[in-house]
Amino acid sequence: MVDLVGQYEARKSEFDAAISSVIHQAAFINGPEVDAFQKELETYLGVKHVIPCANGTDALTIALWALNLEPGSEVITTDFTFIATAEAIARVGLTPVLVDINPNTYTIDAKQIEQAISPRTKAIMPVHLFGQAANMNTIMDIAERHNLYVIEDCAQCFGASYTIKGKPKKLGTIGTIGCTSFFPSKNLGCFGDGGAIFTNNSELATTIKKIANHGSIKKYYHSIIGVNSRLDGIQAAILRVKLKYIDTYNASRLQAAQWYNQRLQNISWITIPQLEPYSTHVYHQYTILLQNIINTDLQAFLQTYGIPSMIYYPVSMHKQEALQIYNPQQCPYSDFASQHVLSLPMHTELTESQVDYICKCISQYKQ
Ligand SMILES: *Cc1c(COP(=O)(O)O)cnc(C)c1O
């Protein structure tokens, strides 16, 4: 599915030098690499504040925690995502309200958000799934009219941009707070766990920084209860190398997606990824939708040729046992997607001949 060793080998000397330098400085926790990465990320994103943290789930949790909402307040999010999104909401004592997806983009159906708003609704948490944005124009409009916070889950869209009010912006800098993950397989991934929180709101940035650091800004003075959530020096050094090449990496993904598109677009039972005009797509996943075929059947067929594929996600959120206490509503499009989407190998080292082989095998599938 991914080739992280190949990506490392392609710039081995740079990665090795970055790691070695942290070891020689013994700056394992915080230190100059983390500070430099934070500033470079702020510049890349065009955002005032970046707060690095331990992983993407912490980023979402700390972002919600910083809003200081009354327990039981509702946060509207998508039914079709990784559990971390809904989990972060529940973890800080808030109520996840799950909304069905737009079947073309697999992101939250912005039209259904308004119906899910109650007097207890305080925030919307869109997920920019597979590398493409949720409909932020509509979401920001609803948020403004109902006075809601917007927390963007950017774990899968690093580097994507979005045109809002005629201006291109990086995803994660449009809502109140953006959160990302540097899990190794993400578009900007490190060699372990990592995450970051972005915001243009200086007051929230201070609270977020505090929460991630034991409730403290000044060492040994703790004004609130927080957690220990930090990015380590070696990961920051690796991320600084990868951040330099992120646009090149995303361009390689786009190229691979185009190779797939050319070969799959004329297969009648496959829908290739649908693009929305407002957003670029950074293809965290290349995900096809199958007509009249269950994804596990094609997956098993491809397995016989040694081709890996993944189902993101086989169980939608409203069907998760852990979330039943919130009485989630039915989400038919997300259920349909969970049985009909299939993600194909997608990474920066994919070659045209590999894509060609994968597509030839797919085209041989007999319905
Ligand atoms: C990966 C991911 C997360 C969680 O990130 P971790 O770093 O693994 O904690 C959250 N949301 C989405 C949509 C993800 O894909």
Side-chain angles (χ1 to χ4, degrees), residues 55-57 60 81-82 84-85 127 153 155-156 181 183 186 194 313:
N55 56 65
T57 308
L60 296 167
T81 180
F82 179 56
T85 318
V127 178
D153 183 339
Q156 300 190 4
S181 162
F183 184 83
K186 308 287 187 186
Y313 294 93

Side-chain angles (χ1 to χ4, degrees), residues 41 45 47 49-51 154 158 171-173 175-180 182 196-200 208:
L41 201 51
L45 294 168
V47 73
H49 307 279
V50 164
I51 301 96
C154 298
F158 192 90
L171 284 178
T173 68
T176 323
I177 307 176
C179 300
T180 203
F182 303 126
I197 305 162
F198 333 133
T199 186
N200 282 311
I208 290 165

Side-chain angles (χ1 to χ4, degrees), residues 135-307:
N135 186 340
M136 290 302 288
N137 280 297
T138 307
I139 291 170
M140 292 311 291
D141 177 56
I142 295 170
E144 269 161 41
R145 279 190 284 111
H146 295 268
N147 199 21
L148 306 174
Y149 295 110
V150 176
I151 313 293
E152 296 175 73
D153 183 339
C154 298
Q156 300 190 4
C157 69
F158 192 90
S161 52
Y162 187 98
T163 305
I164 190 154
K165 292 181 181 144
K167 272 195 1 208
K169 286 192 173 184
K170 289 283 187 239
L171 284 178
T173 68
I174 298 167
T176 323
I177 307 176
C179 300
T180 203
S181 162
F182 303 126
F183 184 83
S185 63
K186 308 287 187 186
N187 286 37
L188 179 64
C190 56
F191 293 179
D193 270 313
I197 305 162
F198 333 133
T199 186
N200 282 311
N201 180 318
S202 302
E203 206 177 315
L204 275 175
T206 305
T207 309
I208 290 165
K209 216 179 286 174
K210 265 193 203 172
I211 293 172
N213 182 37
H214 301 291
S216 166
I217 293 288
K218 187 175 167 201
K219 206 167 186 176
Y220 301 121
Y221 290 77
H222 308 273
S223 57
I224 54 173
I225 294 296
V227 287
N228 169 14
S229 185
R230 54 199 172 205
L231 183 69
D232 73 62
I234 287 181
Q235 302 310 336
I238 291 160
L239 288 165
R240 288 186 70 198
V241 175
K242 288 210 195 179
L243 184 60
K244 277 199 289 186
Y245 301 112
I246 187 64
D247 291 341
T248 311
Y249 287 148
N250 282 339
S252 303
R253 288 174 180 273
L254 177 61
Q255 172 65 80
Q258 284 164 349
W259 289 329
Y260 274 123
N261 285 344
Q262 284 158 13
R263 290 160 177 81
L264 299 177
Q265 66 192 357
N266 293 324
I267 300 180
S268 63
W269 46 274
I270 290 177
T271 306
I272 61 171
Q274 303 293 295
L275 300 186
E276 292 292 342
Y278 47 61
S279 164
T280 60
H281 199 319
V282 290
Y283 294 98
H284 174 60
Q285 299 296 338
Y286 183 88
T287 305
I288 55 174
L289 184 71
L290 312 174
Q291 311 296 331
N292 306 316
I293 293 168
I294 299 295
N295 47 21
T296 48
D297 291 347
L298 181 61
Q299 183 173 46
F301 174 81
L302 292 177
Q303 196 60 56
T304 65
Y305 291 91
I307 296 170

